[in-house]
Amino acid sequence: MRNPFDIKGRVIILTGASGFLGSGYAKFLREAGAEVIGWDRTGGKGIEAVDITDEGQVAKAVGTIVEKHGRIDALINNAAMNPAVGSEESKNMFVPVEDYPISLWKEELEVNLTGMFICIKAVVPWMKKGKGGSIINVASEVSSIAHDHRVYNTEGKYKSPAYIASKTGVVGLTRSMAAQLGVHGIRVNAFSPGGVRNEKMPADFVRRFGESNMLGRMAEPGEYNGIMQFLCSDASSFMTGANLTADGGKSAW
Ligand SMILES: NC(=O)c1ccc[n+]([C@@H]2O[C@H](COP(=O)([O-])OP(=O)(O)OC[C@H]3O[C@@H](n4cnc5c(N)ncnc54)[C@H](O)[C@@H]3O)[C@@H](O)[C@H]2O)c1
């Protein structure tokens, strides 16, 4: 009997493939036998430099894949503006609302939501031709709850409102696409992960964040790899329009 989790030979596009979680997904899915094509704005070793907010670049990159492989089985929309708490880059994203620049709001929505839609639009014709496919839209635990700013200990500074707005939008986009594409055998699901421990994070933040969920800890890098395989595989064949949440029970509390 065929293993329903088998993804050998599947052609999978992964955006944000150079990032903290994306690089782990790429390695894991390749080891499981998938043909992973990684895209990232920054490029990288074995990763194509593609800016997902640029329709022309995305269309060209999709064309190259189809020329080589003849099909696209899955798209993992993982790219987003999500600098790790504690990193220099994240500091711009912690500001009180009255100081939060509209330019940053626009940029975050452009990458996290519009870029995702551009990628979906580009792969759908090929998935229709192939009579199926799986699209995985990475949201966040904050697609159903708000950030609890007390754990950040940032004194009057708040994590970007565009992040939560865009991630909630990802879930709506997922439902819309699932409703439209189900008839073509194309499944569209959101994945909402909770915070993952990163070396850049201050230890007291890691402790406080961990205490805010039922498991009492942050996720470890790699804990979502199996979920990605599940969503790319036939094991999730009757699942579409869902928002799969892995947040240590935080949103259930
Ligand atoms: N790390 C976490 O704890 C966590 C928690 C919840 C949700 N998420 C989500 O998981 C995903 C991955 O997060 P991460 O922590 O690995 O973030 P990350 O910042 O390490 O990786 C994101 C990647 O996306 C790329 N990117 C940004 N803009 C792009 C563009 N226009 N075109 C192409 N690539 C672009 C970046 O260069 C980066 O490599 C994100 O969608 C994030 O919101 C992460």
Side-chain angles (χ1 to χ4, degrees):
M1 209 180 88
R2 194 168 174 271
N3 174 358
F5 292 93
D6 186 6
I7 54 166
K8 279 192 200 77
R10 295 231 166 149
V11 179
I12 301 174
I13 299 174
L14 168 69
T15 72
S18 306
F20 174 51
L21 297 180
S23 51
Y25 298 147
K27 186 168 181 289
F28 182 86
L29 297 173
R30 278 185 186 131
E31 282 170 7
E35 189 69 52
V36 179
I37 297 103
W39 293 349
D40 201 289
R41 180 157 54 186
T42 61
K45 194 166 169 263
I47 292 164
E48 216 177 313
V50 179
D51 180 345
I52 58 162
T53 66
D54 183 325
E55 258 193 289
Q57 284 187 31
V58 171
K60 191 162 165 244
V62 164
T64 310
I65 295 166
V66 174
E67 217 168 86
K68 184 167 176 201
H69 301 283
R71 60 179 211 283
I72 296 165
D73 299 311
L75 164 68
I76 304 174
N77 275 315
N78 166 72
M81 287 175 65
N82 184 47
V85 170
S87 67
E88 267 314 302
E89 218 187 331
S90 78
K91 289 185 182 143
N92 300 331
M93 291 190 168
F94 280 83
V95 277
V97 60
E98 57 272 37
D99 298 334
Y100 179 79
I102 293 298
S103 55
L104 182 55
W105 168 267
K106 285 184 176 164
E107 197 188 345
E108 287 190 71
L109 291 182
E110 182 74 6
V111 174
N112 299 5
L113 201 48
T114 310
M116 179 177 283
F117 184 59
I118 287 172
C119 294
I120 293 172
K121 229 186 125 186
V123 302
V124 159
W126 301 104
M127 288 188 173
K128 281 186 177 174
K129 271 196 185 131
K131 303 205 177 328
S134 176
I135 297 175
I136 298 135
N137 296 329
V138 177
S140 159
E141 63 181 21
V142 298
S143 66
S144 61
I145 55 176
H147 288 109
D148 179 350
H149 290 103
R150 293 169 298 185
V151 306
Y152 295 91
N153 202 16
T154 44
E155 300 279 342
K157 293 182 180 166
Y158 301 90
K159 170 115 186 200
S160 161
Y163 186 77
I164 174 167
S166 64
K167 293 301 187 177
T168 307
V170 165
V171 178
L173 176 62
T174 299
R175 288 195 196 106
S176 163
M177 292 296 103
Q180 189 175 145
L181 300 171
V183 69
H184 299 284
I186 303 169
R187 302 184 295 105
V188 190
N189 291 291
F191 167 49
S192 283
V196 183
R197 189 182 58 81
N198 185 315
E199 297 303 330
K200 292 175 186 159
M201 291 167 171
D204 59 336
F205 165 75
V206 173
R207 181 184 49 75
R208 282 192 301 272
F209 196 103
E211 284 168 355
S212 68
N213 69 46
M214 294 173 183
L215 295 178
R217 63 174 177 85
M218 295 193 83
E220 287 297 314
E223 279 196 277
Y224 302 139
N225 291 343
I227 292 175
M228 281 302 172
Q229 179 168 350
F230 166 69
L231 289 171
C232 288
S233 75
D234 294 347
S236 57
S237 58
F238 201 60
M239 187 170 162
T240 197
N243 180 14
L244 181 60
T245 300
D247 63 357
K250 190 169 180 173
S251 58
W253 227 337

